[in-house]
Amino acid sequence: MSRWQPCKRREFIRRLRKLDFDGPYSGTRHQFMVFEEYRLTIPSNTEYKNLQIPPIDNIEIKIKKQAAA
C-alpha cells in the first residue's frame, strides 16, 4: 500500500476527474465530487493546507469494494 503524502487541492481534483468523478459541486459547507453513487467531500482551501490526502489508489480500492457489494 502506498504512503499518504501531501497533494495540492487542484491536483487532487484533477486526479479524481481521471477516475471519472464528476464535479466539484458546491455543497452546504464543502465542495464534493461524485462517482456513480459515491460522494467524496473535498475540504475548502483553508482546511486543505494542513491535510494529508489519501492516495488515489486507496480511493479506487474503496470504490471497487462498493461496486462489488
Side-chain angles (χ1 to χ4, degrees), residues 1 3-4 9 11 13 16-17 31 39 42-43 51 55-56 60 64 67:
M1 193 182 286
R3 297 178 344 159
W4 286 33
R9 185 176 191 273
E11 179 63 26
I13 292 171
L16 289 174
R17 284 189 180 147
Q31 291 184 330
R39 180 176 168 167
I42 300 175
L51 292 179
I56 296 296
E60 283 184 89
K64 287 178 184 177

Side-chain angles (χ1 to χ4, degrees), residues 4-63:
W4 286 33
Q5 53 186 326
C7 173
K8 292 193 177 201
R9 185 176 191 273
R10 193 172 289 186
E11 179 63 26
F12 185 60
I13 292 171
R14 188 175 303 130
R15 291 178 184 179
L16 289 174
R17 284 189 180 147
K18 285 184 180 179
L19 294 173
D20 293 330
F21 274 79
D22 295 323
Y25 301 109
S26 293
T28 55
R29 292 187 180 178
H30 300 285
Q31 291 184 330
F32 61 93
M33 295 186 77
V34 177
F35 177 78
E36 296 175 0
E37 297 173 8
Y38 184 72
R39 180 176 168 167
L40 180 66
T41 304
I42 300 175
S44 62
N45 284 330
T46 55
E47 294 174 349
Y48 202 81
K49 291 178 184 176
N50 301 324
L51 292 179
Q52 295 288 326
I53 303 302
I56 296 296
D57 298 342
N58 291 352
I59 295 171
E60 283 184 89
I61 292 168
K62 188 182 273 189
I63 292 170

